[in-house]
Amino acid sequence: SISLFIVYITTGFIYLFYPNYLNHVEPMVASLGVVLKNGDFLYPMPVGVYPYSWSLYGPALFEMQAVFQWVDVMPTIVNSKLPGFIALLVSAAILMRIDKGWLYRGYLLYLFPFGLMLFWNRAEPHLVMIVSLSLLLSKHYAESRYLPILMGFLGGAVSALKMHGAVYVFAA
């Protein structure tokens, strides 16, 4: 599983500089980040105005995009892909540290059929990262009285990305 993470991290790094997106939703996510960066409303009135009416994502994804667009270190397309790539790096580091057993590492192989979703410019890489963090906390701090508070915080953060995201954290 380590070698597969290396392959995906390398692919994600190459994708950062690929001059297009993989999916039609990714430019919408980047565009709404630019909207926030420019100080405009994320959910303008009247309700139902495209592209705001059909998004499955909560405001956290667009706020994250706005931060990366505000930094403006690289071109907009590269800045918009950075959060997903960073989420992949953090997820890989966390998941490889949780447990060194062969059974656990075998379960990690279930991540790889998701392919490009592990680093693209949508909510999924961040869902994986927050779930990885919740698994790490639940394994290493199972006896802590602060664990429910931390898990509640992570559940709230992940549901700001996607409404049903809290289910993934609470399963941990």
Side-chain angles (χ1 to χ4, degrees):
S1 58
I2 293 174
S3 55
L4 284 173
F5 270 123
I6 291 170
V7 167
Y8 276 97
I9 289 169
T10 304
T11 306
F13 182 76
I14 292 168
Y15 175 63
L16 280 176
F17 300 101
Y18 176 66
N20 206 342
Y21 294 103
L22 298 171
N23 184 282
H24 68 284
V25 176
E26 290 181 283
M28 184 270 306
V29 171
S31 297
L32 291 177
V34 171
V35 164
L36 277 178
K37 178 194 108 176
N38 292 336
D40 294 328
F41 292 109
L42 183 59
Y43 302 108
M45 297 305 273
V47 176
V49 176
Y50 180 82
Y52 306 95
S53 61
W54 64 275
S55 176
L56 300 172
Y57 303 114
L61 183 62
F62 310 123
E63 291 167 350
M64 191 178 342
Q65 282 292 316
V67 168
F68 277 83
Q69 298 301 338
W70 179 74
V71 171
D72 200 24
V73 178
M74 296 187 193
T76 301
I77 194 167
V78 177
N79 280 342
S80 70
K81 294 176 185 180
L82 275 172
F85 181 68
I86 292 170
L88 170 66
L89 294 175
V90 171
S91 299
I94 290 171
L95 290 171
M96 296 310 291
R97 292 192 65 133
I98 290 177
D99 196 334
K100 306 263 189 234
W102 65 271
L103 183 61
Y104 170 77
R105 295 280 172 99
Y107 279 124
L108 288 180
L109 295 176
Y110 284 114
L111 279 174
F112 300 113
F114 291 102
L116 305 174
M117 286 189 264
L118 293 176
F119 55 78
W120 66 359
N121 180 21
R122 291 176 66 169
E124 288 79 8
H126 309 290
L127 292 172
V128 172
M129 180 183 68
I130 293 173
V131 169
S132 301
L133 185 57
S134 67
L135 289 171
L136 177 72
L137 290 174
S138 65
K139 177 159 174 83
H140 292 292
Y141 300 104
E143 303 301 320
S144 173
R145 65 181 179 177
Y146 300 112
L147 183 63
I149 296 168
L150 292 172
M151 295 302 251
F153 176 75
L154 290 175
V158 77
S159 63
L161 290 167
K162 268 192 168 178
M163 180 63 87
H164 69 281
V167 173
Y168 305 136
V169 169
F170 295 135

